Amino acid sequence: MALTGVLRPGHIVLRVLDLDEAVRHYTQVIGLFETGRDDEGRVFLKAWDENDHHSVVLREAEQAGMDYFGWKVDSEQTLDDLAVKLEASGLVSDTRWAPEGEQLLTGRRFQFTIPTGHRMEIYATKKTLGCMTGYDNPDPWPDGLRGMAPSRFDHALLYGRDIDANLTLFRDVLGFNLTEQVVGPDRKFLIGVFLTCSNKAHDIAFIRSDEDNRLHHASFILGGWHEVLHAADIISKRDVSLDIGPTRHGITRGETIYFFDPSGNRNEVFSGGYIWYPDRPVITWHDTEIGRAIFYHDRKLNEAFLNVTT
Amino acid sequence: MPRISMLDTGETYQCRDGETVLAGMERLGRAGIPVGCRGGGCGVCKIRVISGEYDGRKMSRACITREEEEAGLVLACRVVPRFDLQVEIVGGMRKCIMKHAPHHDQ
Ligand code: FES
Ligand SMILES: [Fe+2]
């Protein structure tokens, strides 16, 4: 198996101001499926093609934003090994082992805070429910889809200060690779880093900002440009708060639309991108071209992209 | 229909019944209050209500503290005017993305 260690984004836990309103958004507008609730009232959701019990968790809170982001690793042994490496790295703080079952139907988890202040965790085990088409002679998509109907939770973009230390942590400790970077006038100062633990254009991205622990967006993958347009129709039809799109990202080549959940957390649905192999050179965007890097068609950044985070 | 007066710009506009201060401004194509998430989460639409009554929905505590709320600070996307309101713009786009290392700043 060539893909080892950290396998993929496992779950994102989002804070919402009104749980019922949020559940309606994530199930009817985006089209995830509710798979459970825990004693604290948190709601667990998954997309139709996902095997594991959940990829999105919603928690009602006094403020919007992200509680934490979880990475699935390939085995309990890797989990132990990475926990030791993380502790030894000096790059993470507030480390903690969360016992099995503390998160619904999920095994033990190792939690830590990364240099930009975001809370993250790794885990190896989660109950599987299977995808909605099954795995024996499956149809390409299941009946009963609704909303935008992404096939899975894909990545997040986070804002914070010390993205250099994040890069070291993800690349040198967790085994991620840098796929694309945005650099400043000296061609060295990092404005943005796009990282993969697999062979996607990104599994996580960080943009430098003057405030730590901010969520820019949580993103879900669609089957193509036509589905992105369909998502845009749903956004208008249901009067969802639109940010920007449909458009194209220069970075990662994704076809995209951004919108907000009812608590102001930004969501993205997108398609496209490319397959990243380890021998592919890093793509570099210069700050003079940051407009087309982010929004390839408009070729300029909008204020909200830079400033609106939760 | 309640009328909103923006003290900063001197502009006024009418909200439909049940419409938020921010939604009314956007529907009329007016500018002034910065528009972000429209969900009470990001804080860019922060305003101070100088006079008038309104109903407010839950706002992210990261954007409006309890003390601020008591002082009449609200998120324009979460308040529905009951009667005419006089407001002052507090929020803004802070350009928080950093393009230069701090020591490069003049
Ligand atoms: S626009 Fe984000 S809080 Fe009002
Ligand atoms: Fe994205």
Side-chain angles (χ1 to χ4, degrees), chain A residues 209-210 301-303 306-307, chain B residues 92-98:
Chain A
S209 154
D210 60 8
L301 278 181
N302 68 349
E303 294 256 280
L306 302 177
N307 293 283
Chain B
M93 299 289 192
R94 298 183 309 116
K95 281 251 185 291
C96 68
I97 192 172
M98 287 175 71

Side-chain angles (χ1 to χ4, degrees), chain A residues 230-248:
Chain A
H230 186 249
D233 292 343
I234 291 169
I235 286 167
S236 287
K237 194 186 223 179
R238 288 184 167 266
D239 218 9
V240 173
S241 174
L242 173 71
D243 183 19
I244 192 167
T247 183
R248 157 91 79 179

Side-chain angles (χ1 to χ4, degrees), chain A residues 155 202 217 219 258 268:
Chain A
H155 67 269
H202 61 332
H217 67 264
S219 185
Y258 285 127
E268 174 186 42

